[in-house]
Amino acid sequence: MWSIGELAEHAGVSVKTVRFYSDRGLLPETARSSGGHRRYGPEARDRLHLIRSLRTLDLPVPDVGRVLDEEDALEDVIEGQLRALGSQLAALRWREAALRVLRDCTAEERAERLRLVGAVTAPPSTEALARFWRRWLPPRLPARLVSSFLEQTVPQPPEDPDPAQVLAFARLHAFVSRPCVGNERGQPAVHRPDEGYRPAVLYDGLAEAYALAAPALRAGRPPDTGDALDCFVAAYARSRGARDTAAFRHRLVGMLAADPRIDHYWQLVAELAGPAYPTPGAAHDWLLAALDGDIAGSPARRT
């Protein structure tokens, strides 16, 4: 049996270290001397070495206790630490790029950029963007459609951003955080009940139309007729209880031309996500141009 000083000597640590882990229950004593002093068996040295190894990896004391007391706990603790480190590294990369945003600009730009990047956490949260679209979407839209819509419209910040992406996200965050955005005055006609549209039917169809248009956008092909445009028009027609006719397409062009636009949002998303990600805004514009081209030589008629 070893005293606390003898255990410290055998393990190559200080008495203070042994007492610290003993007081926290990680290194239980085997017995007490007649004078009430702690006594440890040789197995305490191996346990102390294991504790020190785990602490060298910067594991918190509670996690060290789990590894010592629970079988197979080490794997769970390691996974938890890797997730935490991933978040910390993402925050550091974001902070580095944000500092470069401030360094690589003129003195006149610095105050505005500081205001923009200073309003964004590191790593950044997309909650403000999701909140913006939830306000903008029509009420009582099924949760499935809302979730699918947010997945397409809310870009995820890159894990290793460059300064331009940090600035684009900061401007995007500022844009959606302005007061009075997303109210009924900024919504398209299809969101208003008095217009007679069924928004749930529309958004289901638009998601499919945007997906069909995405390959053409990635390939840089000009707007043209085809399945994507037919799906796009059919979504509006079904939501109105109408048929896809030449006359309906002519009316649809006029209605969509009068709708409010959020072009600035999509421009910033494109800067953030890059050309490989065709935004819903870009798909919508491509389909509108295709519709314009389709009706240019087609007279309005009822069929």
Side-chain angles (χ1 to χ4, degrees):
M1 302 297 289
W2 293 334
S3 68
I4 192 170
E6 290 168 334
L7 174 58
E9 183 178 355
H10 282 288
V13 299
S14 67
V15 170
K16 182 179 179 180
T17 297
V18 176
R19 185 174 288 113
F20 175 84
Y21 292 126
S22 294
D23 290 344
R24 279 153 183 79
L26 300 182
L27 194 64
E29 68 230 23
T30 303
R32 290 266 177 168
S33 69
S34 57
H37 299 292
R38 296 166 177 170
R39 290 289 183 265
Y40 301 90
E43 69 280 357
R45 179 182 57 187
D46 295 335
R47 189 176 176 93
L48 186 54
H49 284 156
L50 177 57
I51 292 170
R52 295 284 288 169
S53 296
L54 294 170
R55 289 291 288 157
T56 299
L57 295 173
D58 208 24
L59 293 185
V61 170
D63 284 344
V64 172
R66 280 190 59 203
V67 173
L68 294 172
D69 298 336
E70 300 176 20
E71 189 175 355
D72 299 328
L74 180 58
E75 185 174 346
D76 288 342
V77 168
I78 289 173
E79 287 299 325
Q81 286 296 300
L82 286 174
R83 287 192 297 271
L85 281 174
S87 180
Q88 292 170 21
L89 288 172
L92 287 173
R93 287 191 289 265
W94 193 270
R95 287 173 55 194
E96 179 189 19
L99 289 171
R100 289 166 61 193
V101 166
L102 298 175
R103 182 195 65 185
D104 303 333
C105 67
T106 65
E108 292 76 16
E109 295 173 316
R110 192 156 292 137
E112 181 191 5
R113 290 192 175 193
L114 180 59
R115 177 182 60 81
L116 289 169
V117 300
V120 178
T121 59
S125 168
T126 59
E127 181 54 36
L129 280 65
R131 202 163 47 240
F132 166 81
W133 286 113
R134 287 194 185 99
R135 290 197 305 264
W136 183 85
L137 285 169
R140 295 181 295 281
L141 204 62
R144 170 185 62 84
L145 288 178
V146 172
S147 177
S148 175
F149 183 85
L150 293 180
E151 186 177 341
Q152 295 299 316
T153 57
V154 176
Q156 294 304 308
E159 293 184 359
D160 190 9
D162 59 37
Q165 289 174 311
V166 168
L167 188 57
F169 187 89
R171 285 174 171 158
L172 197 58
H173 183 274
F175 175 74
V176 301
S177 300
R178 294 182 307 176
C180 299
V181 292
N183 61 18
E184 63 279 1
R185 290 175 297 173
Q187 293 180 319
V190 293
H191 289 193
R192 297 194 287 269
D194 58 327
E195 295 290 333
Y197 283 89
R198 293 177 293 167
V201 175
L202 173 66
Y203 278 95
D204 222 0
L206 287 181
E208 183 181 356
Y210 294 160
L212 289 172
L217 284 163
R218 292 192 188 97
R221 294 199 296 269
D224 199 0
T225 58
D227 291 343
L229 177 59
D230 290 344
C231 183
F232 179 71
V233 176
Y236 279 97
R238 285 196 303 269
S239 71
R240 189 66 184 266
R243 291 187 300 125
D244 177 5
T245 64
F248 180 81
R249 293 193 175 206
H250 275 268
R251 291 196 303 272
L252 182 60
V253 166
M255 184 198 76
L256 295 179
D259 275 345
R261 300 181 60 85
I262 317 177
D263 291 336
H264 187 56
Y265 181 93
W266 299 120
Q267 290 164 4
L268 292 172
V269 171
E271 291 178 25
L272 178 68
Y277 173 70
T279 69
H284 194 83
D285 285 347
W286 190 93
L287 290 163
L288 280 180
L291 181 59
D292 285 339
D294 179 53
I295 69 169
S298 173
R301 64 183 185 277
R302 299 190 182 276
T303 60

